[in-house]
Amino acid sequence: MDQKTIRDLLYRIATDPDYRDRLIADPIAVFGAAGIQIDPSDVPPGGIKLPSNEEILRNLDSWSTQIWNLDTTGSRAPRIWLGLP
């Protein structure tokens, strides 16, 4: 997955309410369909919590860069995808 694809996915989460709702309801399936494998044990029992749409849009470029850099090193990327620290 390239950085533009990550940015586009973040943008979709922030601008497509149906997609965002599906992601919150089933992050493993939604991310899996996008080619992102999430370990089920990384999903907290209460489900994921996403930042507000406004916060995602405000940080779109920096977060896509951060996720891309983590994804290429394999470090903590799944937790960031899930909105976890």
Side-chain angles (χ1 to χ4, degrees):
M1 178 171 292
D2 63 22
Q3 189 171 352
K4 182 185 179 322
T5 303
I6 293 169
R7 186 184 188 288
D8 292 347
L9 184 58
L10 289 171
Y11 182 82
R12 184 171 182 195
I13 292 168
T15 60
D16 182 338
D18 292 332
Y19 189 77
R20 183 182 177 96
D21 290 346
R22 287 193 317 272
L23 176 60
I24 291 169
D26 192 354
I28 295 169
V30 172
F31 278 135
I36 302 163
Q37 300 306 309
I38 301 295
D39 185 331
S41 68
D42 283 337
V43 178
I48 66 170
K49 306 283 188 257
L50 295 174
S52 70
N53 295 337
E54 294 78 16
E55 186 176 0
I56 293 172
L57 292 172
R58 194 171 46 249
N59 294 289
L60 198 58
D61 291 323
S62 63
W63 288 358
S64 62
T65 299
Q66 181 183 14
I67 292 167
W68 168 250
N69 288 335
L70 290 173
D71 192 45
T72 58
T73 64
S75 168
R76 291 184 355 121
R79 296 188 64 76
I80 287 178
W81 277 116
L82 292 169
L84 302 172

